[in-house]
Amino acid sequence: HRTYLNFMMDFVTKYEFPQRLVTFLLHLLPCKEYKESFTKVFCQHYQMIARALVSSDGPSVEQLSNRVVHVSVQLFSNKELAEKMVLEQNLLHVMVKVLHDMVRPALKEVKDQLLSYQLVVNCDNRALSHHCYWPIVSDFINILSHKTVAEMFMKNHDLIKQWMTFIQYLTGMNTTYRQVMSHIEFEPTVYFTSFSVELEAASSPLWSFISGCRVLDSSVCLKNMIVGSTEALWKWYKHIDSMVFDPFYMQPRHGEVTFHLPLHRYLAGFLSVATSHFKMPLHGIIPNHDLLRLMVEHLLQTQAAVCEIRAGRWVRNGAQIRSQVRLYEECQFCNSMVDLDIFMLQVCATFLDPDCFLNAVLERFGIQHWFQFGESAVPTPPCFDAETDITMVEGVLNLIITLLSFRQHLGMNSKEIIRKEMVAQLCMSDRTHSQLVDLISFYMMVLTSIEYFSSNFCIFLCLQLADYKAPGFECGWMQQGMYTPKG
């Protein structure tokens, strides 16, 4: 070891950040020279720390993660220090590389007779199931909060490419196949891991990038991210061998669904901020129509699967498939998932041929025969009764209405979005003030750059939209004050 500090950091990493020693090292941080030296050594040991996280025993992973973040947040929250580490220690490159190294053992090949290969993460891997990646992503988001660092990232094409490759590994994870002949024997619980991975490792950085674009007010950075997302999507779709490069073979198969399409959502998020904040015309920044046609199939497959699950066609897959639908649409996930999917479908519907788009909708929902005269070309399979067909038709009509009426990414301002969300929450049931604040998700606030979302603004909206029922006693129990929709 060249210095005693290097030795101490080796010791700390090897023995999983012992509390007393870490406290001693942190107590010295007020010394500027020491803080800079310690941060430099910490960055040099970053890959070793990541390996320690992955190799740590299950019960201690969470404790080690908290201890690592407890140290790193005090180092990387300093703007000047973070910038210096990015420039001198290539910290951004190191973080992205560490995330690649973490998920690489979890990658599995998805093969088919027509597909060459597609690499996607296996959520059963302990690095994902134990959230070993969380401290790294937390640090990554922390340094991206400094606008100069965010600018460095979004102007570095190599970094963007590496990051999009990481997101590509998460696209298509936890694909579920419909059980038809027999009920699934053991219900998997890995689905919750996949939602956590997308939310923490893909969606949270996405909102950091979007926030950075807004703060920097840089159309160059935004265009770089759009180009990076588009190139990654092409790469994801071109897993088909060049000998059979046919859009037909790139379509998802009926009877399978994944709720995880972060690459598609990255493009949707950047297109949204391009139109809402930078007032860019969509026709100048959207991908070519070939890519839109490919994207629309996967996006529609998810919407069709949601409808099929509600219709009972996936009942043999057990309760876990309904839980996935619930997570996909609930307030903590919807802003990063279904809302972006709907916006991307709106973009596709705008620029693709209307007949082509509607045919794709009907084909994905399996109800083309409802719109044909004479004998049904595609009869309802014998295992499905007529009622499920009716539910699918209703699902198509609801989707079309949603595409025509959903305005969250199409011109609504921040106040209107929050108002609409609050109305939706109040219509489901009466709410307390704290419930309303909690249910309007954090990602809603990020998306809309909420300077409006304060306690006073929430109270103002509540008074506009609801009547307040004062606290009282019922059956000997104290009841909280509730807001109920105005009549």
Side-chain angles (χ1 to χ4, degrees), residues 326-336 339 421 425 428 438-444:
R326 177 179 55 80
L327 289 171
Y328 176 65
E329 295 180 334
E330 76 171 15
C331 64
Q332 297 300 323
F333 292 92
C334 68
N335 218 52
S336 302
D339 290 354
E421 180 73 8
Q425 295 297 339
M428 287 189 283
D438 291 341
L439 287 168
I440 298 178
S441 70
F442 169 75
Y443 295 100
M444 174 71 72

Side-chain angles (χ1 to χ4, degrees), residues 7-20:
F7 166 75
M8 293 288 281
M9 198 65 219
D10 271 352
F11 186 89
V12 165
T13 305
K14 183 176 180 180
Y15 292 98
E16 299 189 351
F17 284 66
Q19 192 64 51
R20 290 186 179 181

Side-chain angles (χ1 to χ4, degrees), residues 309-323:
I309 292 162
R310 287 178 174 154
R313 292 188 175 186
W314 290 65
V315 68
R316 296 184 189 276
N317 287 76
Q320 57 90 19
I321 196 67
R322 294 192 297 275
S323 297

Side-chain angles (χ1 to χ4, degrees), residues 79-213:
K79 179 176 178 291
E80 290 75 17
L81 203 51
E83 290 175 3
K84 192 167 186 177
M85 293 303 108
V86 168
L87 292 172
E88 295 182 2
Q89 300 296 320
N90 286 324
L91 184 57
L92 285 170
H93 288 83
V94 170
M95 286 181 169
V96 176
K97 182 182 184 301
V98 162
L99 287 171
H100 275 264
D101 292 341
M102 278 188 164
V103 301
R104 190 169 290 115
L107 294 178
K108 62 179 180 180
E109 286 188 3
V110 179
K111 289 191 175 183
D112 192 274
Q113 58 182 352
L114 290 171
L115 308 186
S116 53
Y117 70 92
Q118 175 71 9
L119 289 175
V120 64
V121 295
N122 176 10
C123 294
D124 281 323
N125 184 274
R126 71 178 309 279
L128 301 181
S129 60
H130 287 81
H131 303 270
C132 300
Y133 57 86
W134 172 73
I136 313 302
V137 174
S138 177
D139 290 345
F140 184 64
I141 293 171
N142 191 9
I143 64 170
L144 284 178
S145 65
H146 308 302
K147 66 178 184 179
T148 50
V149 176
E151 185 175 19
M152 290 180 205
F153 186 101
M154 291 187 283
K155 287 187 175 180
N156 188 313
H157 296 285
D158 181 56
L159 270 175
I160 294 173
K161 184 178 180 180
Q162 290 180 40
W163 179 256
M164 291 303 174
T165 300
F166 171 71
I167 299 301
Q168 183 182 330
Y169 294 150
L170 308 182
T171 303
M173 61 182 166
N174 193 38
T175 299
T176 305
Y177 301 92
R178 183 170 60 208
Q179 298 289 316
V180 177
M181 301 305 295
S182 60
H183 196 283
I184 192 170
E185 188 173 357
F186 300 104
E187 290 202 19
T189 57
V190 72
Y191 69 90
F192 196 79
T193 299
S194 63
F195 277 89
S196 299
V197 169
E198 178 165 353
L199 187 69
E200 296 168 355
S203 300
S204 296
L206 169 62
W207 298 120
S208 295
F209 289 130
I210 288 175
S211 177
C213 289

Side-chain angles (χ1 to χ4, degrees), residues 154 209-223 226 268-282 285 343 408-414 417 446-452:
M154 291 187 283
F209 289 130
I210 288 175
S211 177
C213 289
R214 283 180 170 145
V215 171
L216 290 166
D217 201 25
S218 170
S219 60
V220 173
C221 291
L222 179 63
K223 287 178 180 177
I226 291 174
F270 293 127
L271 290 179
S272 173
V273 76
T275 55
S276 62
H277 184 83
F278 292 92
K279 309 302 179 186
M280 294 181 185
L282 267 178
I285 54 175
F343 172 65
Q408 183 161 313
H409 296 278
L410 297 176
M412 288 180 67
N413 62 37
S414 302
I417 292 174
V446 174
L447 175 68
T448 54
S449 300
I450 297 296
E451 63 272 13
Y452 309 110

Side-chain angles (χ1 to χ4, degrees), residues 418-458:
I418 301 173
R419 181 187 177 91
K420 184 177 179 181
E421 180 73 8
M422 192 168 286
V423 168
Q425 295 297 339
L426 286 169
C427 285
M428 287 189 283
S429 68
D430 295 347
R431 306 286 190 185
T432 65
H433 177 270
S434 57
Q435 285 174 336
L436 284 172
V437 173
D438 291 341
L439 287 168
I440 298 178
S441 70
F442 169 75
Y443 295 100
M444 174 71 72
M445 301 179 215
V446 174
L447 175 68
T448 54
S449 300
I450 297 296
E451 63 272 13
Y452 309 110
F453 196 81
S454 62
S455 180
N456 289 337
F457 180 66
C458 186

